[in-house]
Amino acid sequence: MSLTDDRFITLAHGNGGRFMRALIEELFARHLANPDLDTEADAACLSLPPGDVLMTTDGFTVQPLEFPGGDIGSLAVHGTVNDLAVSGAEPVYLGLDAFIEEGFEIACLDRLVASMARAAAAVGVRVVCGDVKVLPRGEAGGIYFATTGIGVRPAGVRLGVRRVQAGDAVLVSGPVGDHGTAVLLAREQFGLRGDLQSDSASVLPLTRALLDMPGLRFMRDPTRGGLATVAHEIIRASGLRMRLRETDVPVREPVRGVCEMLGYDPLFLACEGRVVAVVAAADAAAALAAWRGLPDGAGAAVIGRLEAGEPGLVLETALGGERLIEELEDDPLPRIC
Amino acid sequence: MTGGNGGAVTHRLTVSGRVQGVGFRPFIYRLAQREGVSGWVRNLAGQVDILAQGDPPALHRFAAALIREAPPAARPLLTAAAEVTSRPLCGFTILPSEAGSPRQVHVPPDLFTCDDCLREMSDPNDRRFGYPFINCTQCGPRYTVITALPYDRANTTLAGFPLCPECSAAYGDPADRRFHAEPVACPVCGPRLRYAGSADPLDAAIAALHNGGVIAIKGVGGYHLVCDAGNPTAVAALRARKHRPHKPLALVLPQDDGLATLRALTCPTADEIALLTSPMRPIVLVRKRQADAVLAPGVNELGVMLPYSPLHHLLLRRFGGALVATSGNVSGEPVLTDDPDAEARLGGIADGFLHHNRPIARPADDPVYRVIAGRPRPIRLGRGNAPLEIELPVALPHPILALGGQMKATIALGWGRRAVVSPHLGDLESPRALGLLRQVATDLQALYGVQAEALCCDNHPNYASTRRARGWGLPVRPVFHHAAHASALAAEYPRTGDWIVFTWDGAGLGSDGSVWGGEALVGTPGHWQRRASFRSFPLLGGDKAARQPWRSALALAWESGSAWSPGAQNTDLLHQAWQRGVNCPPTSSVGRLFDAAASMLGLADTISFEGQAAMYLEAVAAAAAQPVPLPLTRDATGLWRTDWAPLLPVLRDRRLAAAERAGCFHTSLAAALVAQAETLRAETGITRIGLTGGVFQNRLLTEAVFALAGQAGFAVFLPDALPCNDAGLSFGQLIEAAACP
């Protein structure tokens, strides 16, 4: 029997038998095929170029599964690739786990895996191993992915949040909050808007552009919790104070408008294709120029700096005030009396 | 009585209360001289210890005058008096201070300039003629100059000014009114003014003010931004540069004959004049004589004060008219105190700086008062009334530091049966405010010699004070916002029995996880039960609703199925968010009901300062408007809830005058409150009601409640030691902790 006869995933697609083999070969392998992917083998045998080997893993549970500017398939590639990229590595291989809910539409699964394959091909990363599980109805939000990435970092590249120093500049590669806003509106079915798209993308071109810079200290992609959360991670690890200038943080007008109307702070909304970089002040202009020369870095900006002092995130407001931005805690309950 | 000394007897007297740093010992010395009493006086562990020997009538006069004639800044309390045996004494002396437990110390607030100093300052033959830092044991800076205890010159910010021979002699002479006046100063040895590029700083500042300039002037507890109140261009420049388009600006008025300037601008009542001229010298909200759209647009009152420091006296005399004097800060932040900080942060606002070189140990803003229901009610604590000491109704098990709320923050230190509340610290959004919170927390503990063993904070997880409490390293006792409000009120009127306390404000986290702000709590401190509230409605966009009253108007309209459209806004997206419950937390906030009403009347769709919408609504309201009955029903949980919906048709009825609509809103809420009180009285038998929460800063509403509830047989109480707004939370947290550790 062929997979294409079925319209929905059943528990049989996960029981290790014929249906499962058909699902893997006719759907997953068909899209993700590459010389290193052997669906018969229990383990992939790989060789790596010289350099430090970096490995990372990430889970993906976004709702809705498809949203303007991306879907959970491409996200599962970009998320893990970006974790390697901001660590200074070139991603080489991915492992994939799929957790699919019984009753999931096979046509949708096909779209998601195709999108995943396109994203992987664009980056030049190969999916070399994988697993599929089917969960009983009601036990998964349609589908979850987990991807594990292996990358290689040129010897001598030294990046880390502990290298961050007082006086360093903070840059972001483009407008913040696009992904969080697009997904929020899609999830709540607010109706589609052409001007709000997720920024889901590989950040490899952006990270490559800075890697040779001697003053590069640290990079991170601001995903869950957004720019403010990355800032707090840097502050916590470095013991420094970060100052951001509100007017210098790029936010797209439609994103700003939605946040203003719904009462959200773009500083806390997720990005999926941006990089926050900390560089020595002397290299800030060069880093900015390098990013602005790239298609995905046209909206890059120097947004602030690190300084000695009591650790914390200080936002210099448009009106000349200073606001302490605290870490996100659960739901932002109203507190203004 | 001992023999050999005629009819003389000897008494040992102990005086506690605020008796240090206020010239109390020299006063006792002079009193003893006058009454022919011999013996001695000394400081002992924060109290004053007196041995007095004389004939019985003289001792009687001495003891009575000791309280009755005490210096204005002193608050003496005769705590012990006993006859003792003594050998005959000769003369009266001031003995050196006895070291001991500092736990009974009282840190005095900064004191207004006394008449004697004013006289000297105005006397061309006096060595302190025109000297802006003149002071004595009766007046001058205290809280803002003390760096450590004991209160000695070396422990003040004047330590860097060695006394000249003349000041030194006065300081050491028990008969001199500057005996041990720690901040004593004169033109020879004391602090000086500075104005860049000018040999006569005061002259330069006055000239700049006359030219319409905005000048930052360093005062007692921080900088003021000052300009000519009679020059609309200057005021407009100040507003534009400070990003303060609407918020009323306070004025400092010359203390001229018959308070002519005050009377020209306002219609003060006798109570208000008494308050203005009291030693605290607060800003008082007084009814304007004429409409004005420059100093306090949209409201009927002006915030005015009289000069309280010698510098302000000189300034006002030389300038000859009213000056705007607003806190020298960036909006919401603590007032600036340090010269370089002020130049850096106020550089874009001020055309010039009148500095002085007496450092300010910690800031104190001007206190603000409004007379409501016949009594002065504080809106803000500060210079002149804080640190404020209040006796606790029950003793604390151990010293506790209460960190209060998020906005208009104060902190409170409690130990035994004593509690001390800090001046206004500002909104805890800025790094400076949080730094100040930590400094004042450290300073209060050091000055009073008390080490906190536990902390209190609000239950709101995202208040900056709550986060700081958790990182402090001491056990933390969180207190629900409205319980703290209710307990602060109850502790001001300590007596046994239950209360019905109406805690109406903008927002506070309730015990059910929703945002409260219109609650009736029944019980006693530590044991409050929420028994009545308002029909719930959503905060569209969370905190955004607090800045944009149109959101509350829309929320009420959508919730009650009636039409309303806030001007040009496209609210489709918000409507979808409301339908799906996206960032629309439910609230029962009366503060937001005021916002909704003001928006529906077209008074304020967005606001630039807290309370703006409610203030505008109060200003236009007619006092005698007919109320609309608001239904009071039990919800599924048994909680009484007042439905606001019948207000909407009135608020939107454009055929009615704004005065009528706004007035009806006030009287309807007052009637709704009394209806809740009557229902709860029927259930509980309680006849004592309290009003607290920022909403009751509204005089029209509060006085309507006093009148209606009084007619209905209730005894009504409103805080008057502490503000009813969130500045009272820190004290209320202490009370909750004391009642229910």
Side-chain angles (χ1 to χ4, degrees):
Chain A
M1 82 155 278
S2 162
L3 184 69
T4 50
D5 298 339
D6 297 332
R7 287 188 54 215
F8 299 102
I9 295 292
T10 66
L11 288 175
H13 286 112
N15 70 359
R18 192 162 58 81
F19 284 89
M20 181 169 150
R21 199 171 64 246
L23 177 66
I24 290 172
E25 287 178 357
E26 294 177 29
L27 197 154
F28 281 92
R30 178 165 59 87
H31 288 299
L32 299 169
N34 66 69
D36 287 316
L37 178 61
D38 177 358
T39 58
E40 305 291 323
D42 281 326
C45 179
L46 308 168
S47 56
L48 288 166
D52 300 329
V53 177
L54 278 73
M55 183 171 165
T56 186
T57 190
D58 208 349
F60 300 88
T61 61
V62 67
Q63 291 292 342
L65 301 174
E66 297 173 293
F67 46 82
D71 55 56
I72 193 171
S74 57
L75 203 61
V77 171
H78 293 146
T80 295
V81 161
N82 289 349
D83 285 349
L84 291 169
V86 295
S87 305
E90 286 288 322
V92 187
Y93 301 116
L94 287 181
L96 168 70
D97 293 283
F99 302 88
I100 314 172
E101 186 176 338
E102 179 189 2
F104 194 73
E105 196 191 354
I106 289 178
C108 179
L109 180 63
D110 193 69
R111 287 198 303 277
L112 297 176
V113 178
S115 165
M116 178 182 290
R118 277 194 303 277
V123 176
V125 68
R126 293 173 173 186
V127 176
V128 293
C129 56
D131 184 43
V132 175
K133 291 282 185 291
V134 177
L135 294 118
R137 202 177 290 274
E139 287 189 15
I143 193 164
Y144 302 146
F145 287 126
T147 53
T148 297
I150 290 178
V152 174
R153 186 171 64 188
V157 171
R158 289 282 172 272
L159 293 179
V161 71
R162 287 177 199 289
R163 299 170 62 82
V164 168
Q165 296 171 21
D168 287 352
V170 183
L171 287 82
V172 67
S173 66
V176 299
D178 290 11
H179 177 76
T181 312
V183 167
L184 170 78
L185 295 195
R187 178 168 62 233
E188 302 296 341
Q189 301 168 331
F190 279 104
L192 291 178
R193 288 177 50 165
D195 56 352
L196 284 163
Q197 298 262 323
S198 167
D199 54 359
S200 177
S202 158
V203 299
L204 258 180
L206 294 162
T207 57
R208 281 179 189 143
L210 301 195
L211 218 49
D212 291 337
M213 214 159 269
L216 178 66
R217 318 271 199 218
F218 175 72
M219 295 187 285
R220 180 153 288 171
D221 52 333
T223 55
R224 248 181 319 181
L227 175 62
T229 301
V230 168
H232 274 288
E233 288 162 2
I234 295 169
I235 290 159
R236 212 173 25 248
S238 66
L240 296 170
R241 159 173 296 220
M242 188 186 292
R243 302 182 78 90
L244 297 181
R245 286 175 305 272
E246 189 175 33
T247 47
D248 289 347
V249 176
V251 181
R252 273 188 221 288
E253 223 25 73
V255 170
R256 194 183 297 283
V258 167
C259 286
E260 169 61 34
M261 185 54 76
L262 299 185
Y264 288 108
D265 186 345
L267 291 182
F268 285 98
L269 293 181
C271 308
E272 288 293 345
R274 306 284 178 239
V275 180
V276 172
V278 179
V279 300
D283 283 339
L288 184 64
W291 271 359
R292 286 203 169 157
L294 298 170
D296 284 342
V302 178
I303 55 174
R305 64 189 184 280
L306 287 142
E307 62 182 26
E310 194 180 337
L313 176 57
V314 179
L315 188 71
E316 297 175 358
T317 69
L319 297 186
E322 292 183 344
R323 198 150 65 84
L324 209 59
I325 307 285
E326 311 243 26
E327 277 185 274
L328 197 61
E329 179 154 349
D330 196 18
D331 251 353
L333 287 164
R335 54 180 195 175
I336 302 181
C337 34
Chain B
M1 183 181 124
T2 57
N5 198 20
V9 293
T10 310
H11 284 174
R12 185 78 176 265
L13 308 169
T14 308
V15 186
S16 65
R18 191 200 290 162
V19 287
Q20 294 192 352
V22 292
F24 198 72
R25 285 173 303 154
F27 156 72
I28 294 295
Y29 176 86
R30 289 191 296 274
L31 199 61
Q33 304 283 340
R34 187 182 84 191
E35 300 298 342
V37 168
S38 46
W40 46 254
V41 59
R42 64 175 177 178
N43 279 337
L44 178 66
Q47 307 185 51
V48 169
D49 187 20
I50 303 165
L51 195 71
Q53 193 176 70
D55 63 63
L59 279 186
H60 182 75
R61 286 194 305 273
F62 177 78
L66 182 149
I67 301 296
R68 204 177 50 233
E69 298 175 26
R75 299 275 183 282
L77 212 65
L78 190 60
T79 46
E83 192 170 333
V84 294
T85 55
S86 166
R87 61 185 174 77
L89 301 167
C90 185
F92 198 89
T93 49
I94 297 178
L95 297 180
S97 299
E98 194 75 6
S101 158
R103 288 200 161 206
Q104 286 303 311
V105 293
H106 296 256
V107 177
D110 303 299
L111 306 171
F112 78 111
T113 314
C114 73
D115 290 344
D116 288 337
C117 284
L118 271 187
R119 203 171 304 120
E120 285 181 12
M121 191 176 75
S122 314
D123 177 0
N125 298 317
D126 194 277
R127 56 190 289 264
R128 292 189 182 84
F129 174 63
Y131 182 57
F133 303 96
I134 185 170
N135 66 79
C136 68
T137 54
Q138 294 307 297
C139 71
R142 297 289 187 272
Y143 173 76
T144 55
V145 297
I146 296 176
T147 52
L149 281 182
Y151 175 51
D152 251 329
R153 188 175 178 87
N155 290 333
T156 69
T157 61
L158 285 118
F161 297 91
L163 293 176
C164 67
E166 278 182 87
C167 283
S168 186
Y171 182 88
D173 175 4
D176 195 284
R177 63 186 200 85
R178 294 200 170 83
F179 173 66
H180 270 273
E182 309 303 342
V184 68
C186 78
V188 175
C189 63
R192 287 163 195 216
L193 295 173
R194 176 168 68 86
Y195 192 99
S198 170
D200 187 339
L202 195 58
D203 237 27
I206 299 284
L209 289 170
H210 278 303
N211 287 333
V214 175
I215 307 300
I217 299 180
K218 188 177 182 181
V220 174
Y223 280 80
H224 274 137
L225 286 164
V226 177
C227 71
D228 179 357
N231 181 340
T233 315
V235 179
L238 171 59
R239 285 197 177 280
R241 296 179 202 165
K242 209 186 171 198
H243 305 291
R244 183 166 160 155
H246 312 113
K247 193 174 179 184
L249 296 165
L251 306 186
V252 53
L253 307 177
Q255 194 165 359
D256 41 21
D257 283 346
L259 299 173
T261 310
L262 173 71
R263 291 178 202 280
L265 290 168
T266 66
C267 314
T269 64
D271 284 349
E272 287 161 347
I273 288 177
L275 191 55
L276 279 166
T277 53
S278 69
M280 192 201 315
R281 289 289 195 279
I283 295 173
V284 181
L285 307 185
V286 186
R287 178 163 283 273
K288 293 175 190 172
R289 194 165 279 285
Q290 285 164 351
D292 121 83
V294 176
L295 300 169
V299 297
N300 300 329
E301 292 169 326
L302 278 178
V304 293
M305 64 181 148
L306 295 173
Y308 53 85
S309 80
L311 174 58
H312 288 91
H313 279 286
L314 293 171
L315 201 62
L316 269 294
R317 274 184 208 168
R318 297 272 289 278
F319 183 76
L323 289 172
V324 167
T326 184
S327 298
N329 60 1
V330 179
S331 178
E333 294 188 11
V335 64
L336 290 155
T337 53
D338 184 54
D339 305 22
D341 273 358
E343 297 223 356
R345 300 298 304 280
L346 304 178
I349 304 175
D351 298 305
F353 289 83
L354 184 60
H355 296 295
H356 63 67
N357 58 350
R358 184 177 76 201
I360 298 173
R362 61 194 69 78
D365 259 305
D366 297 311
V368 182
Y369 275 74
R370 190 181 200 193
V371 175
I372 299 173
R375 305 245 294 260
R377 315 285 178 171
I379 306 278
R380 182 168 82 186
L381 302 179
R383 181 263 317 146
N385 69 351
L388 179 72
E389 183 156 350
I390 311 178
E391 190 182 13
L392 295 171
V394 291
L396 289 170
H398 45 248
I400 297 178
L401 181 68
L403 299 187
Q406 168 74 11
M407 300 176 74
K408 300 171 292 294
T410 63
I411 59 172
L413 178 65
W415 69 103
R417 290 193 61 182
R418 295 183 66 187
V420 176
V421 184
S422 78
H424 171 78
L425 303 177
D427 297 341
L428 299 184
E429 264 208 327
S430 70
R432 264 181 55 77
L434 283 160
L436 181 60
L437 180 140
R438 189 156 311 154
Q439 185 205 341
V440 173
T442 306
D443 287 0
L444 285 184
Q445 294 181 78
L447 291 175
Y448 287 91
V450 175
Q451 194 68 45
E453 292 169 23
L455 296 175
C456 283
C457 65
D458 198 274
N459 260 91
H460 197 304
N462 295 343
Y463 280 5
S465 48
T466 306
R467 289 172 182 252
R468 294 304 173 285
R470 284 200 232 110
W472 208 283
L474 288 175
V476 177
R477 158 82 154 85
V479 176
F480 277 106
H481 193 93
H482 295 90
H485 269 314
S487 286
L489 169 89
E492 276 198 33
Y493 303 99
R495 54 195 97 179
T496 53
D498 285 347
W499 286 87
I500 302 169
V501 181
F502 293 88
T503 57
W504 288 8
D505 63 358
L509 183 63
S511 56
D512 63 353
S514 76
V515 178
W516 291 7
E519 320 311 313
L521 305 183
V522 172
T524 54
H527 310 279
W528 298 108
Q529 219 193 344
R530 183 198 198 198
R531 296 286 284 272
S533 182
F534 276 81
R535 175 178 171 182
S536 171
F537 59 97
L539 291 166
L540 304 178
D543 267 341
K544 281 271 189 255
R547 312 243 192 246
Q548 299 176 345
W550 62 263
R551 290 174 184 265
S552 295
L554 211 49
L556 299 192
W558 286 345
E559 282 291 310
S560 60
S562 50
W564 173 255
S565 138
Q569 296 269 4
N570 178 349
T571 54
D572 293 349
L573 184 63
L574 195 61
H575 193 259
Q576 290 176 313
W578 168 68
Q579 287 173 320
R580 292 164 176 78
V582 175
N583 203 17
C584 288
T587 189
S588 48
S589 162
V590 176
R592 296 295 86 80
L593 289 179
F594 268 91
D595 287 356
S599 173
M600 286 183 172
L601 263 72
L603 297 171
D605 272 342
T606 63
I607 56 172
S608 64
F609 67 94
E610 193 201 340
Q612 184 180 356
M615 286 163 68
Y616 286 10
L617 197 70
E618 181 187 358
V620 302
Q626 194 63 31
V628 185
L630 302 180
L632 179 62
T633 52
R634 276 182 190 275
D635 71 8
T637 66
L639 181 71
W640 290 101
R641 284 190 188 265
T642 295
D643 188 359
W644 35 258
L647 288 167
L648 268 56
V650 180
L651 291 171
R652 287 191 316 230
D653 188 347
R654 288 174 200 279
R655 292 165 305 175
L656 295 175
E660 187 63 26
R661 290 145 76 192
C664 170
F665 179 84
H666 283 81
T667 53
S668 302
L669 283 185
L673 185 152
V674 175
Q676 287 189 356
E678 285 176 324
T679 302
L680 295 174
R681 178 172 60 187
E683 290 180 357
T684 63
I686 303 168
T687 57
R688 187 157 32 124
I689 67 177
L691 310 177
T692 188
V695 165
F696 294 107
Q697 295 170 122
N698 182 310
R699 175 153 62 196
L700 183 59
L701 173 73
T702 303
E703 293 185 348
V705 170
F706 266 80
L708 270 179
Q711 285 161 22
F714 290 99
V716 190
F717 298 87
L718 180 71
D720 63 11
L722 283 167
C724 64
N725 60 41
D726 282 4
L729 289 177
S730 57
F731 177 67
Q733 290 168 356
L734 283 184
I735 301 300
E736 282 286 294
C740 197

